[in-house]
Amino acid sequence: MKKIAIIISGCGVFDGAEIHETVLTMLHIEQLGAQYQCFAPDQTQHHVINHLTGEEQQDSRNILIEAARIARGDIHDLATLNVDEFDALVVPGGFGVAKNLSDFAFKGSDSKILDTFKETCQSFSIQKKPIAYLCIAPALIGHIHPSGTVATIGNDTDTATASEALGIKHVACSATNIVVDSQNKVVSTPAYMLANSISEASQGIAKAIEQLIDMA
């Protein structure tokens, strides 16, 4: 049975992991007969957003503790992830990817990414194990994979331009479809970068997970 690692960047679309995308990832992995284990960095998230009003709160939260809400407590510190124990990796989207795993939300093509996240992803890549990046997560591919890696964030011009400046070859793609770089074993789908419903996001994520498991 294939075993897939999932890296969660918090809890909530505006300051953490996109919950629908993360849960759909878990669901599709399980429905395809594979297993998953969740991980998140044990550190303070960039900031806290009130998801009802969209306003920033004067609060401090831990990424791992917040991510544990989605994982129902079954989650480990990203620093403990042993790549040898897994066949593939998935990185769901949400602003946590661009605020907690990196500073892409603020610095775009001048961004940096979290060392433990970069090292983990590169370890999967070095071992020729596939990685699926969902939603905004493909924007970080240029920090991790060889220049020219093919990927998508959907069709947002500014995000695509910043991502290309970091080294990816961007391909426009609908929410219900995927882009595959077979040579670098990278799969991407726009998910809620474009999706207008959970059903629409699910279609693209299902295809991404199926492709990921086939490549593993």
Side-chain angles (χ1 to χ4, degrees):
M1 181 181 288
K2 300 286 175 62
K3 193 169 183 183
I4 317 297
I6 304 173
I7 296 178
I8 307 177
S9 57
C11 180
V13 58
F14 300 124
D15 58 12
E18 214 298 320
I19 296 171
H20 293 179
E21 291 175 5
T22 308
V23 173
L24 286 168
T25 294
M26 297 171 181
L27 177 64
H28 291 307
I29 289 172
E30 190 173 281
Q31 287 181 334
L32 288 167
Q35 293 180 326
Y36 64 82
Q37 178 61 58
C38 298
F39 295 87
D42 184 8
Q43 65 180 57
T44 303
Q45 65 187 52
H46 173 75
H47 62 187
V48 178
I49 298 294
N50 180 324
H51 278 59
L52 184 61
T53 65
E55 297 174 352
E56 185 172 349
Q57 295 182 189
Q58 297 304 310
D59 195 1
S60 177
R61 298 185 185 180
N62 178 280
I63 302 168
L64 178 60
I65 293 172
E66 289 300 294
R69 293 174 180 271
I70 307 177
R72 295 175 60 88
D74 186 9
I75 192 167
H76 303 300
D77 183 353
L78 177 58
T80 69
L81 196 163
N82 183 351
V83 178
D84 295 336
E85 297 177 355
F86 296 91
D87 301 293
L89 172 66
V90 186
V91 185
F95 273 105
V97 171
K99 294 177 178 179
N100 300 333
L101 301 184
S102 73
D103 56 7
F104 183 85
F106 314 107
K107 297 185 178 179
S109 59
D110 293 322
S111 60
K112 296 181 179 180
I113 67 173
L114 188 67
D115 287 341
T116 50
F117 174 66
K118 181 176 183 176
E119 290 163 5
T120 298
C121 293
Q122 287 186 331
S123 293
F124 273 90
S125 183
I126 289 167
Q127 293 191 26
K128 306 298 182 185
K129 294 179 177 181
I131 307 177
Y133 297 89
L134 315 181
C135 192
I136 190 64
L140 305 187
I141 286 173
H143 281 295
I144 297 160
H145 298 274
S147 181
T149 298
V150 180
T152 188
I153 50 81
N155 59 17
D156 181 78
T157 303
D158 290 343
T159 308
T161 299
S163 302
E164 287 189 317
L166 285 168
I168 76 166
K169 181 179 179 181
H170 183 262
V171 178
C173 178
S174 69
T176 59
N177 223 323
I178 63 174
V179 168
V180 181
D181 186 318
S182 300
Q183 181 177 351
N184 292 302
K185 291 197 169 184
V186 170
V187 184
S188 53
T189 188
Y192 275 108
M193 286 293 287
L194 287 179
N196 294 308
S197 68
I198 191 170
S199 298
E200 203 173 343
S202 181
Q203 290 181 60
I205 293 171
K207 290 175 183 177
I209 300 303
E210 184 175 11
Q211 179 68 41
L212 182 81
I213 291 173
D214 285 346
M215 294 172 85

